[in-house]
C-alpha cells in the first residue's frame, strides 16, 4: 500500500475521524484508524461502534498502490500534526503491518521517516451496511443550526438514556429536532419543501450529533444527505460520512409539555441585553447553581440576584403584557436558551411567555415561529 | 430450543437452571452465538460471518455479560450499566444479555432489572443462568422461560470424558466422584485429581476406629480449610459407600474406588450395614454443616471423634 498526499490533507482527514475513535477501547483495533486505499481513493475510518466517522482524503493520482491497514490513532495524529508542511509519502508493509511516513525537503531523498506499527485491517470492526428506510437531503448550514439550537438541552444522565438523545422527526413537510432533559426543552422546526409527508422519527445520541455539527461547520456549504435505517442513521456531507447508532424507545410526547396559552408575556425584549444582564446577575448569585429572578415592573423587566457576596439589579425595557411576580430561574438554562434562539433571531429580540411561579418560561425568537425553548423555574423553599 | 430458533420464535428471556457443571453456560454460549450470527443455518451459527468472528474473539458489541462465577453479589450498578447499553439500537440483529449466576442478583438489582427484562427498549434476548433458582425472586422467575438441566449419569459423564480423550480407570472413579457434574469430572480427571489425597483418606478411614484424641486434633488442623475438608469428606463418603455396596451386593461394577477392590473386600468385613449407614449419615451431616458455613476444623474434629468413639 502506497500513496502520496500533503500534510494538510492527511491531518484534516485524521482529525475528522479521530473524534469517533475509542482511545481507551478494550479492542485494540478500535483505538486505531483504518486507512483503505482502493481505486485511487483513500478512505480513513474511526469508530467506537456507537459512532463511526469516515473521511476521504485527496491523494496524488500519479502513483498509488491499493491496500488497507489500521494504525494507532494517537501516534498517527500526533506525528502527522508535527510534520513539516509539504508532501508526505506513505508506504505500508501489509505483511508485517507497519507503515512508514516519509517527509521533509526533497534533497533528503526521503531519508526522514517515521515508522508506525499497526494492525491488520481484517480485525477492524466496521458498522454493518445500511438498509435505508428514509432518505433525505437538506441544506447543511440549516441542518447544523437545527442541531446546535437544541442539542444543549439533551440530558447527560446515562440512567435515563432516552433523554441523552435528540429526536429527529419528520411531520407535515417539516423537520423537527427536539431535545430535553426534563428540566428544559428545545425545539427547532425547519420547513423542507418537497419532504415526503410520511411520519418518521428517530432518536440520535446527542454526542454523535455534536460531532456532526462540528463537521457541518467545517464544511462551508452544500447539502447533507441523511439516510435513516433500522439501527443506524447516516449523515454524509462532502467527503465525510458519520454513522451513528440510534437510541431505542418511545420519545415522550413533547407536544404535551408545550403550553398553548400564557399567563403573562413579554412580547418583545432585546435578547442581547437580557443575556448580558442575566450573566452579570449570575455572578452575584449562590455559588453552587447560579439563579436569577425575573419580574415585571411597568414597561421594564427586572433582573435581580443577591447573595452574601452582593447583589445585582437591572431594568431592561420590555413590552410587558399582564402581571408577573418574581420567578427564579437557573442562569445557565436561560443563557443556553437565548444562545439557542440567537440562530433564529430576525430583529435581535425574543418574546418570553410566563406560566406562573411554577410553570415553564417559554422563550421564542420575536416574530419567528421556528424555534422554542422551554425552561422550568427553580422552586425556592 | 432448536424449534424456537428455526421458527424464529425465540423467547425474550430464558432461565437455564440446574446443578453446576452440567452444561448450562455452554448451552447459553451456543444460543447467544446463534442469535448474533448473521447467516445462521437453522439452529447452527455459520461460524464465518463477522458477527461469529467477533463473538469468538469475545468482542461482539451486542453481547453483554453481567456477573462472574466468583461474584458474591450482582448489584444494581451492573443492571444500570446494562440498561444504558441496551437503550442503543443493537449493532447487528439483536442485543443478547447473559446473566450468571443470576441468583446473585441483589434484591434491588433484581427489582431494577424487572422492567428491562419484561420490556427492553429494543430487540433483546436475556439468558439467565443459575444453579439455585429458588434464590431468584419470583418476579424475575415469572418473566423467564425456564429450561431445566439435570444431573448427568455416570455413563454420560464417562462417555463425554471419552470424547474429550480421557481414558483409563481414573475416568470411572472421577465420574463417580463428580456426582453428575461434568465440569468437576473434567477437573478431577485432568489433574486436580490427586491419587495421593485419596490414598491418605483411605488410610485414614482404615484406622478411623483407633484414632486417639491428639491425632484427631492434628488431622482436623490439616483439614481446617473449607475446600480441603469438602474434598476429603466426599472421598470418605465414597469409601464408606463402597464398603456398604460391597457388603450388600458384592458387585464390583457398583464400586466407585474400583481400583482398590481388595482393600474394600477386606475392610468391609469389619462393619455391619447399619454401622456403615450411620457413618455415611454422619459424613453427610458434616458436609451439610460445612455448606452452612460451619467451622471446618470443628466439623472435622466432631466427625473423626464420632468415627473413633463408635
Amino acid at each position: 500500500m502506497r500513496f502520496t498526499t500533503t500534510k494538510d490533507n492527511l491531518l484534516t482527514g485524521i482529525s475528522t475521524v479521530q473524534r469517533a475513535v475509542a482511545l481507551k477501547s478494550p479492542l485494540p483495533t478500535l483505538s486505531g484508524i483504518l486507512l483503505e486505499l482502493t481505486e485511487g481513493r483513500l478512505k480513513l475510518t474511526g469508530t467506537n461502534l456507537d459512532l463511526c466517522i469516515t473521511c476521504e482524503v485527496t491523494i496524488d493520482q500519479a502513483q498509488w498502490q491499493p491496500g488497507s491497514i489500521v494504525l494507532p490513532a494517537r501516534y498517527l495524529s500526533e506525528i502527522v500534526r508535527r510534520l513539516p508542511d509539504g508532501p508526505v509519502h506513505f508506504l505500508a508493509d501489509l505483511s508485517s503491518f507497519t507503515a512508514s511516513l516519509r517527509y521533509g525537503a526533497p534533497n533528503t531523498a526521503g531519508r526522514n521517516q517515521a515508522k508506525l506499527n499497526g494492525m491488520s485491517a481484517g480485525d477492524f470492526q466496521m458498522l454493518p451496511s445500511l438498509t435505508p428506510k428514509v432518505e433525505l437531503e437538506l441544506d447543511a448550514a440549516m441542518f447544523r443550526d437545527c442541531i446546535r439550537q437544541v442539542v444543549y438541552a439533551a440530558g447527560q444522565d446515562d440512567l435515563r438514556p432516552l433523554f441523552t438523545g435528540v429526536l429527529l422527526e419528520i411531520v407535515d413537510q417539516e423537520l423537527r429536532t427536539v431535545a430535553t432533559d426534563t428540566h428544559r426543552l428545545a425545539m427547532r422546526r425547519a420547513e423542507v419543501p418537497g419532504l415526503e409527508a410520511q411520519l418518521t422519527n428517530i432518536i440520535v445520541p446527542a454526542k454523535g450529533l455534536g460531532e456532526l455539527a462540528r463537521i457541518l461547520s467545517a464544511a462551508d456549504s452544500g447539502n447533507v444527505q441523511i439516510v435513516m435505517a433500522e439501527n443506524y442513521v447516516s449523515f454524509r456531507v462532502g467527503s465525510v460520512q458519520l454513522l451513528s447508532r440510534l437510541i431505542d424507545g418511545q420519545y415522550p410526547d413533547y407536544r404535551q409539555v408545550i403550553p398553548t396559552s400564557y399567563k403573562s408575556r413579554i412580547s418583545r425584549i432585546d435578547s442581547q441585553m437580557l443575556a448580558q444582564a442575566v450573566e452579570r446577575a449570575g455572578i452575584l448569585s449562590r455559588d453552587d447553581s447560579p439563579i436569577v429572578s425575573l419580574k415585571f415592573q411597568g414597561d421594564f423587566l427586572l433582573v435581580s440576584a443577591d447573595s452574601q457576596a452582593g447583589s445585582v439589579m437591572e431594568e431592561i425595557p420590555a413590552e410587558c403584557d399582564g402581571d408577573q411576580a418574581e420567578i427564579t430561574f437557573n442562569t445557565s438554562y436561560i443563557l443556553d436558551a437565548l444562545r439557542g434562539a440567537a440562530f433564529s433571531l430576525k430583529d435581535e429580540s425574543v418574546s418570553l411567555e410566563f406560566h406562573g411561579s411554577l410553570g415553564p418560561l417559554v422563550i421564542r425568537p420575536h416574530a419567528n415561529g421556528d424555534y422554542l425553548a422551554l425552561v422550568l423555574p427553580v422552586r425556592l423553599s | 430450543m432448536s424449534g424456537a430458533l428455526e421458527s424464529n420464535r425465540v423467547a425474550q428471556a430464558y432461565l437455564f437452571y440446574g446443578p453446576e457443571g452440567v452444561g448450562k453456560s455452554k448451552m447459553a454460549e451456543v444460543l447467544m452465538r446463534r442469535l448474533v450470527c448473521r447467516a445462521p443455518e437453522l439452529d447452527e451459527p455459520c461460524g464465518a460471518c463477522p458477527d461469529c468472528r467477533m463473538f469468538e474473539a469475545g468482542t461482539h458489541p451486542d453481547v453483554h455479560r453481567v456477573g462472574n462465577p466468583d461474584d458474591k453479589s450482582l448489584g444494581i450498578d451492573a443492571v444500570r450499566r446494562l440498561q444504558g447499553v441496551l437503550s442503543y439500537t443493537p449493532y447487528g440483529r439483536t442485543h443478547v444479555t447473559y446473566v450468571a449466576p443470576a441468583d446473585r442478583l441483589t434484591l434491588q438489582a433484581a427489582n431494577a432489572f424487572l422492567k428491562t427484562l419484561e420490556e427492553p427498549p429494543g430487540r433483546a434476548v436475556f439468558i439467565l443462568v443459575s444453579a439455585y433458582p429458588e434464590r431468584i425472586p419470583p418476579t424475575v422467575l415469572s418473566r423467564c422461560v425456564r429450561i431445566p438441566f439435570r444431573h448427568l449419569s455416570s455413563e454420560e459423564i464417562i462417555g463425554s470424558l471419552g470424547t474429550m480423550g480421557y481414558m483409563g480407570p481414573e475416568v470411572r472413579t472421577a465420574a463417580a466422584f463428580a456426582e453428575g457434574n461434568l465440569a468437576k469430572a473434567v477437573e478431577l480427571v485432568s489433574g486436580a485429581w490427586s491419587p495421593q489425597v485419596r490414598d491418605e483418606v483411605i488410610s485414614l478411614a482404615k484406622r478411623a476406629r483407633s484414632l486417639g484424641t491428639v491425632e484427631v486434633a492434628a488431622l482436623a488442623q490439616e483439614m481446617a480449610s473449607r475446600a480441603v475438608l469438602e474434598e476429603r469428606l466426599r472421598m470418605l463418603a465414597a469409601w464408606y459407600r463402597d464398603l456398604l455396596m460391597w457388603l450388600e451386593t458384592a458387585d464390583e461394577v457398583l464400586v466407585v474406588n474400583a481400583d482398590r477392590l481388595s482393600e474394600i473386600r477386606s475392610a468391609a468385613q469389619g462393619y455391619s450395614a447399619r454401622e456403615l449407614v450411620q457413618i455415611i449419615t454422619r459424613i453427610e451431616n458434616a458436609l451439610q454443616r460445612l455448606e452452612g458455613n460451619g467451622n471446618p476444623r470443628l466439623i472435622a474434629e466432631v466427625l473423626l471423634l464420632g468415627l473413633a468413639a463408635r
Side-chain angles (χ1 to χ4, degrees):
Chain A
M1 176 184 184
R2 167 203 291 274
F3 64 83
T4 300
T5 182
T6 63
K7 174 206 168 181
D8 284 344
N9 283 345
L10 194 55
L11 185 58
T12 310
I14 290 170
S15 9
T16 307
V17 304
Q18 199 190 9
R19 309 281 310 180
V21 172
L23 286 175
K24 286 186 195 139
S25 171
L27 308 180
T29 49
L30 286 193
S31 61
I33 291 177
L34 171 70
L35 293 90
E36 288 173 296
L37 176 50
T38 48
E39 295 166 5
R41 295 152 75 93
L42 175 65
K43 201 167 92 176
L44 309 188
T45 306
T47 180
N48 58 12
L49 293 182
D50 289 338
L51 187 67
C52 172
I53 304 180
T54 59
C55 180
E56 269 191 33
V57 174
T58 320
I59 59 169
D60 182 358
Q61 290 297 323
Q63 46 176 336
W64 54 269
Q65 273 172 11
S68 51
I69 189 171
V70 177
L71 294 175
R74 190 148 55 96
Y75 295 115
L76 183 64
S77 75
E78 295 288 316
I79 288 278
V80 172
R81 202 178 303 278
R82 288 168 177 75
L83 289 183
D85 289 335
V88 178
H89 307 283
F90 179 97
L91 181 65
D93 177 354
L94 298 182
S95 55
S96 62
F97 307 122
T98 53
S100 64
L101 298 162
R102 289 167 201 257
Y103 47 87
N107 56 7
T108 61
R111 283 194 298 272
N112 294 351
Q113 63 164 319
K115 270 198 173 168
L116 283 172
N117 297 325
M119 288 157 275
S120 160
D123 296 337
F124 195 80
Q125 290 181 322
M126 300 284 283
L127 294 182
S129 50
L130 300 175
T131 327
K133 271 189 353 194
V134 178
E135 295 179 65
L136 57 144
E137 196 163 334
L138 300 171
D139 179 64
M142 187 272 290
F143 190 59
R144 180 197 61 206
D145 288 349
C146 287
I147 296 171
R148 287 205 293 206
Q149 286 183 270
V150 304
V151 76
Y152 70 86
Q156 309 277 334
D157 184 359
D158 287 335
L159 292 184
R160 290 193 293 180
L162 216 52
F163 296 115
T164 63
V166 172
L167 177 73
L168 284 190
E169 188 179 51
I170 298 172
V171 54
D172 307 335
Q173 305 221 345
E174 216 178 72
L175 174 81
R176 285 189 191 172
T177 50
V178 182
T180 177
D181 62 2
T182 68
H183 303 295
R184 53 181 167 168
L185 176 146
M187 178 182 82
R188 163 75 201 253
R189 297 151 49 160
E191 268 185 45
V192 184
L195 200 61
E196 281 191 33
Q198 80 187 104
L199 181 86
T200 312
N201 61 66
I202 55 173
I203 309 169
V204 189
K207 268 184 214 152
L209 281 184
E211 292 304 331
L212 179 64
R214 189 187 290 268
I215 291 168
L216 291 173
S217 304
D220 302 332
S221 58
N223 284 349
V224 52
Q225 287 154 328
I226 307 177
V227 179
M228 300 179 191
E230 195 167 0
N231 294 351
Y232 299 94
V233 60
S234 149
F235 303 94
R236 181 185 286 281
V237 50
S239 59
V240 185
Q241 187 194 13
L242 180 141
L243 205 65
S244 172
R245 282 220 262 191
L246 302 178
I247 294 177
D248 249 331
Q250 182 65 45
Y251 204 77
D253 187 5
Y254 62 91
R255 292 173 188 83
Q256 279 186 358
V257 295
I258 299 174
T260 47
S261 61
Y262 52 87
K263 267 191 176 166
S264 54
R265 181 167 101 120
I266 293 175
S267 54
R268 194 166 173 184
I269 185 168
D270 187 284
S271 169
Q272 197 78 29
M273 281 169 77
L274 177 61
Q276 285 170 357
V278 168
E279 211 162 358
R280 276 190 291 269
I283 295 170
L284 288 180
S285 168
R286 305 185 308 187
D287 316 327
D288 45 351
S289 60
I291 52 170
V292 57
S293 300
L294 304 181
K295 186 184 170 188
F296 290 6
Q297 198 167 65
D299 279 342
F300 291 97
L301 176 73
L302 252 56
V303 178
S304 65
D306 65 285
S307 67
Q308 287 182 331
S311 64
V312 169
M313 169 72 146
E314 296 200 16
E315 285 181 346
I316 305 168
E319 294 169 15
C320 301
D321 170 7
D323 239 7
Q324 183 56 64
E326 199 166 86
I327 310 182
T328 313
F329 294 94
N330 183 316
T331 321
S332 56
Y333 282 10
I334 301 245
L335 291 174
D336 284 343
L338 289 174
R339 250 175 250 138
F343 294 97
S344 295
L345 291 186
K346 284 202 167 140
D347 54 2
E348 304 303 317
S349 53
V350 291
S351 75
L352 310 179
E353 292 165 12
F354 294 87
H355 299 82
S357 63
L358 295 177
L361 160 65
V362 178
I363 300 179
R364 300 177 200 266
H366 180 247
N368 185 357
D370 73 1
Y371 182 72
L372 165 159
L374 184 150
V375 180
L376 285 178
V378 177
R379 193 193 293 254
L380 291 179
S381 49
Chain B
M1 218 69 240
S2 304
L5 285 169
E6 279 164 35
S7 57
N8 216 358
R9 282 185 291 108
V10 180
Q12 193 158 284
Y14 287 101
L15 171 69
F16 292 176
Y17 69 96
E20 302 279 0
V22 296
K24 300 186 298 295
S25 319
K26 190 96 193 151
M27 176 73 190
E29 292 295 322
V30 173
L31 176 60
M32 290 199 286
R33 190 167 157 180
R34 164 63 179 69
L35 287 171
V36 297
C37 172
R38 216 170 291 183
E41 289 162 25
L42 297 178
D43 58 342
E44 288 287 324
C46 71
C49 67
D51 293 80
C52 280
R53 288 209 306 273
M54 281 190 285
F55 187 87
E56 234 157 88
T59 59
H60 199 289
D62 287 344
V63 175
H64 317 293
R65 292 169 195 269
V66 178
N68 281 312
D70 307 330
D71 282 348
K72 288 267 185 294
S73 69
L74 301 178
I76 196 162
D77 289 349
V79 174
R80 295 248 164 89
R81 264 198 304 280
L82 176 69
Q83 287 167 336
V85 282
L86 289 184
S87 65
Y88 282 83
T89 49
Y91 170 89
R93 289 159 44 111
T94 175
H95 283 292
V96 181
T97 304
Y98 172 77
V99 184
D103 47 85
R104 305 273 166 84
L105 285 168
T106 62
L107 191 59
Q108 289 88 335
N111 284 338
F113 193 31
L114 286 180
K115 182 161 190 303
T116 317
L117 198 57
E118 191 164 69
E119 284 184 333
R123 278 151 296 149
V125 177
F126 298 89
I127 303 171
L128 282 67
V129 172
S130 172
Y132 307 98
E134 68 280 2
R135 294 183 193 163
I136 302 177
T139 40
V140 172
L141 284 181
S142 69
R143 285 165 169 83
C144 300
V145 174
R146 277 165 275 180
I147 313 259
F149 286 66
R150 60 178 174 79
H151 277 298
L152 301 174
S153 70
S154 287
E155 274 62 42
E156 284 172 311
I157 290 190
I158 293 170
S160 307
L161 288 176
T163 57
M164 289 181 219
Y166 294 110
M167 297 290 175
E170 70 272 19
V171 166
R172 201 174 173 77
T173 323
F177 269 110
E179 299 170 329
N181 180 334
L182 182 59
K184 193 169 164 198
V186 171
E187 204 177 286
L188 286 174
V189 84
S190 66
W193 176 253
S194 144
Q196 224 175 331
V197 174
R198 190 170 56 119
D199 290 348
E200 274 174 38
V201 169
I202 291 175
S203 89
L204 170 67
K206 285 203 274 190
R207 51 200 173 86
R209 282 167 169 169
S210 55
L211 287 177
T213 313
V214 177
E215 211 180 341
V216 163
L219 282 166
Q221 169 105 52
E222 272 175 42
M223 297 193 239
S225 118
R226 201 159 285 278
V228 169
L229 182 59
E230 191 189 337
E231 187 188 17
R232 276 155 216 243
L233 286 180
R234 290 197 189 284
M235 286 184 179
L236 211 53
W239 171 257
Y240 283 111
R241 178 194 158 278
D242 280 355
L243 296 187
L244 182 62
M245 279 296 159
W246 184 257
L247 207 60
E248 294 288 304
T249 64
D251 183 352
E252 50 186 279
V253 179
L254 294 176
V255 169
V256 170
N257 297 291
D259 49 336
R260 311 294 283 261
L261 206 57
S262 62
E263 286 166 75
I264 292 174
R265 200 174 297 161
S266 66
Q269 305 302 324
Y271 294 91
S272 73
R274 241 187 89 169
E275 283 170 333
L276 285 169
V277 169
Q278 269 176 3
I279 293 176
I280 294 171
T281 317
R282 277 206 172 119
I283 299 174
E284 285 297 323
N285 284 343
L287 273 167
Q288 261 175 28
R289 257 175 272 147
L290 189 64
E291 198 165 313
N293 218 10
N295 179 341
R297 191 169 158 189
L298 213 57
I299 293 170
E301 274 175 8
V302 169
L303 176 69
L304 291 177
L305 284 174
L307 292 183
R310 208 176 37 87

